[in-house]
Amino acid sequence: MDEQPRLMHSHGVGMAGHPGLAQHMQDGTAGTDGEGRKQDIGDILQQIMTITDQSLDEAQARKHALNCHRMKPALFNVLCEIKEKTVLSIRGAQEEEPPDPQLMRLDNMLLAEGVAGPEKGGGSAAAAAAAAATGGVGADNSAEHSDYRAKLSQIRQIYHTELEKYEQACNEFTTHVMNLLREQSRTRPISPKEIERMVSIIHRKFSSIQMQLKQSTCEAVMILRSRFLDARRKRRNFNKQATEILNEYFYSHLSNPYPSEEAKEELAKKCGITVSQLFVAVSNWFGNKRIRYKKNIGKFQEEANMYAARTAVNATSVSAHGSQANSPSTPNSAGEIQSLVLFSFRLTGGLSSP
DNA sequence: CATAATGATTTCCC
DNA sequence: GGGAAATCATTATG
C-alpha cells in the first residue's frame, strides 16, 4: 500500500530535476522573462509537492487549479517522457511470482481438514471417520465426536466469514485504487500495465493477510485435533460385546492368534472402532492378550474353555455329532485342543529351541 | 481407597 | 515394521 505514494513521489522528484522541463516550458509559451518562468515552475512544483499536506478540500481545489493551469499539458508531456524511460525498469522489476509453497501447504491442509472444502456433507475427513465410528458397538464416544465436529464447524464458520470479509475489503480497496488511478491519469500518464501491477500488488498484500488467517485457522484446527486425539488416547475399555468378539477370535485361533490386517480391520469394524487412528487398538488388544495369556495360561483356562465351548457348540449344532464336546472336564472340541496345544508349544519355544 | 484389570506406550529385537 | 516384554496410566471393583 505504500507503493502508491512512492510511485507518485518518485515521479515528482524525477520531474523536478528533469533537464527537458525548461525546454518544454519554453515551447509552451512565448516569453521574455526567463527568471519569471522559472519562478513560475518552481511554484507549480512546490504546490504539487505539498499537496498531500493539505486538507482534502484544499487539495481538491488546488488540484483543480493545477489541472487548468496553462502549463499542465507541458508537464504532462514531461511526465510521459519520464515514463517512457522508466517503464522498462518497472516491467523488469515485477513479473513472475511462483505460488508460495507455504500457502499451498496451508491450503491443502485446510482442504484436508474440511475447513476450506465444500460445506458440510462430507465435511472433514476426520469428522467423517469419527462419524463412521459412531455406528456399531463403540457408539459410546459419540459425544466426543459431536463436540469435535461442533468445534470444527465453528472454526470453519469463522474462517469463512473472515475470508469473505477480506475478499470484500480487497475488492473495495481495489476499485478504490483503480478509481484513484483513473482520476490521476488525467494529470499523469498511467499505463494499463501499471494499473494491473497495482492490482496485483494489492492482491498480494491482501493474500498475505489471508495467509495469516489461514495460518491461525490451521493452528486452531491442529490444537483441536490434538486435544481430540489426546482425549481419545485416554484409556477407554472395550465394552462387553467388543471384548467377546475379540476373545472369540483369540480363542478360536489359539494356535495362531495373529490376525492379519484384514482380519484386524474386520474385528475393528465389528467392535465399532473404525477411526483409523484407533485401528491399532485391536493390535494392542491382541498384543496384550497374547502376552498375558502366555504369562499365565492357568488363569485364562476358564475363559479359554468358555469360548472354546461356545465355538464348539456352534460347530456341533451344524455337524450333527457332538459327543466329545459335552464332557465337563474337556469341553474343547478336538480342533480346539489341538490349537491350544500347538499354541502352547509355540509359546514355550518348542519349535525353535530343542 | 487399595488393588486388580486392562488399554496404551515404550523399548528392544528380529 | 511388527511382535514380545516391560512398563505406564487409567478404569473397575470390592
Side-chain angles (χ1 to χ4, degrees):
Chain A
M1 280 186 215
D2 54 349
E3 211 74 330
Q4 186 195 347
R6 202 191 304 154
L7 201 72
M8 288 169 61
H9 200 65
S10 72
H11 279 304
V13 171
M15 175 181 60
H18 193 267
L21 187 58
Q23 194 188 327
H24 276 289
M25 298 295 138
Q26 232 96 40
D27 292 347
T29 51
T32 49
D33 189 1
E35 284 305 307
R37 278 289 120 78
K38 275 184 187 163
Q39 184 65 38
D40 212 6
I41 294 163
D43 271 356
I44 295 172
L45 294 179
Q46 193 59 35
Q47 282 182 41
I48 292 172
M49 298 298 279
T50 57
I51 201 166
T52 52
D53 299 333
Q54 296 183 309
S55 79
L56 221 59
D57 285 340
E58 281 177 321
Q60 202 68 28
R62 186 180 288 186
K63 201 172 83 183
H64 184 71
L66 283 170
N67 228 7
C68 301
H69 199 277
R70 62 202 159 87
M71 284 196 178
K72 190 235 165 182
L75 261 172
F76 198 81
N77 280 343
V78 174
L79 289 171
C80 282
E81 207 171 289
I82 294 170
K83 195 55 153 286
E84 257 162 43
K85 282 184 186 166
T86 57
V87 76
L88 282 170
S89 63
I90 289 174
R91 192 179 299 156
Q94 53 144 343
E95 300 300 350
E96 68 185 289
E97 40 179 307
D100 189 352
Q102 170 97 9
L103 184 64
M104 273 174 61
R105 226 192 66 227
L106 289 174
D107 275 338
N108 285 339
M109 194 172 138
L110 289 172
L111 211 60
E113 295 297 332
V115 175
E119 183 66 43
K120 281 291 164 196
S124 105
T134 53
V137 186
D140 50 0
N141 39 30
S142 59
E144 287 172 35
H145 293 148
S146 61
D147 195 39
Y148 177 80
R149 294 178 70 173
K151 292 215 170 106
L152 191 72
S153 83
Q154 198 178 327
I155 290 174
R156 181 199 168 88
Q157 198 187 330
I158 292 170
Y159 171 76
H160 275 115
T161 49
E162 287 295 306
L163 201 65
E164 208 171 305
K165 232 190 279 174
Y166 287 158
E167 208 104 339
Q168 199 183 330
C170 181
N171 283 339
E172 265 171 35
F173 192 74
T174 304
T175 34
H176 180 72
V177 168
M178 281 176 80
N179 284 338
L180 211 63
L181 287 177
R182 214 168 295 139
E183 163 82 12
Q184 287 190 3
S185 70
R186 279 170 44 199
T187 40
R188 69 186 182 99
I190 297 172
S191 69
K193 247 221 155 75
E194 265 181 298
I195 296 181
E196 214 173 279
R197 178 161 169 264
M198 214 55 181
V199 168
S200 87
I201 286 169
I202 294 168
H203 282 179
R204 220 175 308 156
K205 275 283 195 256
F206 269 88
S207 81
S208 83
I209 296 173
Q210 272 187 15
M211 190 148 122
Q212 281 174 23
L213 171 69
K214 284 173 181 175
Q215 182 109 41
S216 57
T217 306
C218 273
E219 261 166 44
V221 171
M222 288 321 274
I223 289 168
L224 175 66
R225 194 171 235 269
S226 72
R227 275 217 200 112
F228 180 69
L229 288 177
D230 269 355
R232 320 197 92 243
R233 194 177 323 190
K234 277 194 174 176
R235 208 186 102 185
R236 181 123 237 180
N237 285 2
F238 286 135
N239 59 35
K240 211 154 183 273
Q241 202 180 337
T243 315
E244 283 200 5
I245 290 166
L246 294 171
N247 270 322
E248 209 165 282
Y249 186 97
F250 181 79
Y251 287 111
S252 62
H253 296 76
L254 255 190
S255 62
N256 186 32
Y258 300 84
S260 64
E261 290 300 300
E262 294 80 41
K264 280 185 204 169
E265 204 167 334
E266 177 72 22
L267 286 167
K269 208 188 288 178
K270 272 192 193 168
C271 295
I273 33 179
T274 328
V275 182
S276 57
Q277 274 97 346
L278 283 192
F279 170 74
V280 289
V282 173
S283 300
N284 283 338
W285 191 91
F286 273 91
N288 285 321
K289 189 75 184 179
R290 279 193 298 264
I291 200 79
R292 282 161 187 165
Y293 179 83
K294 176 189 162 182
K295 236 176 181 172
N296 191 351
I297 295 179
K299 198 171 79 182
F300 289 92
Q301 196 57 54
E302 201 181 328
E303 192 178 73
N305 291 344
M306 199 185 93
Y307 282 99
R310 190 178 304 183
T311 52
V313 166
N314 286 344
T316 48
S317 66
V318 176
S319 66
H321 60 50
S323 54
Q324 330 139 288
N326 295 333
S327 163
S329 59
T330 56
N332 296 331
S333 70
E336 283 317 306
I337 292 171
Q338 191 187 9
S339 288
L340 209 150
V341 170
L342 278 173
F343 181 46
S344 302
F345 186 65
R346 204 182 105 88
L347 287 176
T348 49
L351 283 171
S352 45
S353 49

